[in-house]
DNA sequence: TTGCGTGCAAATCTTTTGCAGAATG
DNA sequence: CATTCTGCAAAAGATTTGCACGCAA
C-alpha cells in the first residue's frame, strides 16, 4: 500500500510531531515515548498505510509498541487532524492529512495502489448537490476504482505472446 | 438504514429473480430454496441494508436461513450484478444494482440515512481524471458526508430553547 | 446417484476493552 | 503523588470456513 505522493505539500509552520504535542497538551494528555515514536515513524516515510504495516515498521526501529497502543494512537492522530482514515478492503487505511491539500483517489484493483488527485470542480459539484438537498457537508470521499497504467501494461505484456498461439 | 429510492427505476426485461436463476445456471450452480427466498426478499422491499437486517427480515417470513448462507448468497448477488456493496461504518451495506441507474450518496452522520443522487457531471469528471492518469475505470464510489436536512432541524429545535438561558 | 449447498459451530480478522503495573506531569 | 498510559490478554463484531448431511440436477 506504500505509494509516493502525487501532490505538493502545503507549507506548514510546525512539524507533525510538534502539532501532536500541542494537541496532547491542550487536552491534558501525556506526551509519551510511544506516542512520539508513532508520529515520527508515520510522518517520516508512510503515506498510505494500515495498522499492521505501521506495527511492522515500528518493530524494526523502535522498542516494540503494543498493538492496542498503536490503534489508540492512530485514533488520536485522526482526532488531532494529522491523519485521515478510510476503509478500503475491509481494513482501515490512513494517510497524512496535515500538510497536504484535500484530494481523492484512484484505486487499482490489481496492485492495490492509491493514486491521488485534486479537483476543485469536484468540490464545487459536491457543494452544489448538497445545497440542493439541504445537506450540511462535512466532507466527502471519492474512490475511482479500476486498473492503473502499470498493471495494464503488465497485463498486456503477459497476454500478447499467448494471444498469438 | 431503510430508505426510499430517490431515483426512477430503469426498465428491465426480466425480474431480479429471473436474472439470478440465469446467473446460477450459467455457472452450473444450483437454484435452491434459500437462494430464491433471499433474492425475493431483497428485491421486494429492501434498498440499502446490511446482512443483519436481511437476516432479521428473512426470519419473519421464510424458513430460517443460516447466517452463513446469507453471506454466501450476498456475495453471489454482487457477482451476478444484482447488488452493489460498500463499506460504511465498518459494516458492509448493500443496495440494488439491477434496474437502477448509477448514482452516489449523501450520508448523514446523525441518522445514518443514505440519500441518493445522480450526476452526469461527476461521471465526466471521473473519466477525465482517469484518462489523465492512464487509468482504466471500472467504477467509482462517492460518499458525501454531513448532516441531513431533517437532523439539522431536530438539532435546532433541541438547541434553541436552551440557548436563551 | 453425484456432487453442490446448507447449517452449525468453530475459526478468522480487525479493532476494542478491562485491568494491573509503568510512566508522566 | 495522582493519574494517565501501556501491555497483555481476553472480548467483541463481522465475516469466513470445515465438515457431515440434505437436496437439486
Amino acid at each position: 500500500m506504500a505509494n509516493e505522493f502525487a501532490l505538493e505539500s502545503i507549507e506548514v509552520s510546525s512539524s507533525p510531531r510538534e502539532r501532536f504535542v500541542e494537541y496532547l497538551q491542550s487536552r491534558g494528555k501525556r506526551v509519551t515515548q510511544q506516542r512520539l515514536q508513532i508520529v515520527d515513524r508515520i510522518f517520516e516515510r508512510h503515506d498510505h498505510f494500515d495498522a499492521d504495516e505501521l506495527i511492522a515498521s515500528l518493530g524494526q526501529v523502535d522498542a516494540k509498541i503494543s498493538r492496542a497502543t498503536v490503534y489508540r494512537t492512530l485514533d488520536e492522530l485522526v482526532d488531532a487532524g494529522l491523519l485521515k482514515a478510510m476503509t478500503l478492503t475491509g481494513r482501515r487505511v490512513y494517510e497524512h492529512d496535515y500538510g497536504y491539500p484535500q484530494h481523492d483517489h484512484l484505486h487499482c484493483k490489481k496492485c492495490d495502489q492509491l493514486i491521488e488527485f485534486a479537483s476543485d470542480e469536484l468540490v464545487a459539484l459536491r457543494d452544489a448537490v448538497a445545497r440542493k438537498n439541504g445537506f450540511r457537508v462535512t466532507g466527502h470521499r471519492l474512490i475511482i476504482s479500476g486498473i492503473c497504467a502499470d498493471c495494464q501494461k503488465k497485463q498486456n505484456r503477459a497476454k500478447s505472446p499467448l494471444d498469438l498461439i
Side-chain angles (χ1 to χ4, degrees), chain A:
Chain A
M1 197 138 302
N3 170 36
E4 302 93 54
F5 268 91
L7 306 170
E8 296 299 316
S9 66
I10 291 172
E11 285 309 318
V12 287
S13 47
S14 47
S15 70
R17 181 191 182 124
E18 289 169 330
R19 278 281 282 216
F20 193 35
V21 169
E22 244 175 65
Y23 162 87
L24 291 171
Q25 293 178 334
S26 75
R27 307 233 179 166
K29 294 186 163 201
R30 291 174 182 176
V31 177
T32 64
Q33 285 312 306
Q34 287 89 332
R35 283 172 173 157
L36 292 178
Q37 285 180 11
I38 291 172
V39 217
D40 286 350
R41 194 64 61 251
I42 288 175
F43 282 88
E44 136 193 320
R45 47 191 165 79
H46 274 289
D47 38 66
H48 299 113
F49 64 94
D50 62 25
D52 259 328
E53 290 169 335
L54 176 59
I55 289 162
S57 88
L58 282 165
Q60 307 184 314
V61 188
D62 312 283
K64 192 179 165 300
I65 296 178
S66 79
R67 185 168 291 274
T69 296
V70 170
Y71 275 105
R72 285 187 280 234
T73 305
L74 283 170
D75 284 345
E76 293 167 336
L77 287 165
V78 169
D79 234 57
L82 292 177
L83 290 181
K84 212 179 246 187
M86 64 178 148
T87 305
L88 220 49
T89 320
R91 43 194 59 73
R92 226 180 279 154
V93 294
Y94 298 87
E95 64 177 1
H96 299 179
D97 190 26
Y98 179 62
Y100 284 91
Q102 131 79 39
H103 60 270
D104 287 281
H105 301 92
L106 293 155
H107 178 219
C108 178
K109 288 173 160 183
K110 278 264 185 279
C111 65
D112 218 40
Q113 185 192 184
L114 284 174
I115 301 167
E116 303 178 354
F117 71 90
S119 168
D120 294 337
E121 264 184 88
L122 173 60
V123 176
L125 194 155
R126 173 195 81 176
D127 293 341
V129 169
R131 202 174 314 117
K132 203 177 302 172
N133 286 272
F135 199 87
R136 184 193 306 149
V137 177
T138 59
H140 76 268
R141 177 65 70 197
L142 169 62
I143 296 174
I144 300 175
S145 38
I147 313 288
C148 73
D150 285 352
C151 287
Q152 287 177 49
K153 274 180 226 152
K154 279 177 208 155
Q155 225 166 17
N156 292 336
R157 207 179 301 147
K159 237 200 268 177
S160 304
L162 294 169
D163 285 348
L164 299 176
I165 300 177

